[in-house]
Amino acid sequence: MSWSMLMYRNHWAFAHDVQQDAFMESAARYVAAAPKYSAVPWLLQWREFWLYSAGNQGNGASCIGADEFLTDDGRVEDFREFLRDYRSWLAAGADDEHAAAGLNTVSLIAYAETADAVLTGDESHPNVHRTQEAEAAP
C-alpha cells in the first residue's frame, strides 16, 4: 500500500494513493452528474485534472491539485459545499454504482471528510496536521 498526502495551505493528512485515486474518479463522476457543479468552469477544469491524474501518479506522489484549483476563499467554500453534497450523494445510494466500479463508499466518505478538515485546518480531526512551515512560523 502506498501513501500520499492531501495538502492545502498549512495543513495535510495522509491518504492511500488508491483512496485519492478513487476519490478523483468518483468525484469526477459526481461533477458530471450534478447540474449544480457541471456548470462551474474551474470545477470542470479540476475534474479534467482528476481524470488525467487518477492512477497515473507514482508512489507517494498522488495529488488532487487543491492548491492549483482552490485559489481563493470563495472557491474553498464552494468546494466544501461540493464535498458535503458529494458525501450526501454517496450516502444516498451510490453504493451499487461504486461497488460495481470497485470503489468503497465508506472510504470515499471518510476521504471527503478528511479533505474538508484539511481545507479548514481542523486540527481536532485525528488525521490533520500542520505543515512544517506552519509550525516554524511565529
Side-chain angles (χ1 to χ4, degrees):
M1 185 73 52
S2 58
W3 291 93
S4 288
M5 291 192 327
L6 169 60
M7 297 181 67
Y8 185 69
R9 292 183 179 162
N10 295 322
H11 291 88
W12 64 274
F14 280 118
H16 290 288
D17 285 342
V18 69
Q19 189 180 26
Q20 275 194 175
D21 285 346
F23 168 79
M24 289 189 285
E25 292 172 17
S26 176
R29 287 182 190 176
Y30 181 60
V31 169
K36 177 179 180 178
Y37 297 111
S38 64
V40 178
W42 66 266
L43 192 52
L44 287 172
Q45 291 173 339
W46 200 2
R47 176 186 184 270
E48 292 304 313
F49 172 84
W50 292 335
L51 290 171
Y52 173 78
S53 299
N56 291 324
Q57 300 179 47
N59 183 21
S62 179
C63 175
I64 67 166
D67 284 318
E68 293 82 6
F69 289 92
L70 298 178
T71 56
D72 60 59
D73 290 341
R75 284 188 179 187
V76 171
E77 287 308 310
D78 291 345
F79 189 63
R80 290 187 66 220
E81 183 177 343
F82 168 85
L83 289 172
R84 283 188 297 274
D85 292 346
Y86 169 73
R87 289 190 311 258
S88 295
W89 176 71
L90 290 169
D95 281 334
D96 293 337
E97 178 182 334
H98 287 94
L103 304 176
N104 179 319
T105 299
V106 172
S107 177
L108 291 168
I109 290 171
Y111 182 88
E113 289 169 348
T114 300
D116 189 56
V118 167
L119 294 177
T120 62
D122 180 3
E123 294 176 27
S124 70
H125 188 286
N127 298 335
V128 175
H129 309 278
R130 285 180 161 262
T131 61
Q132 289 181 343
E133 295 82 13
E135 288 180 359

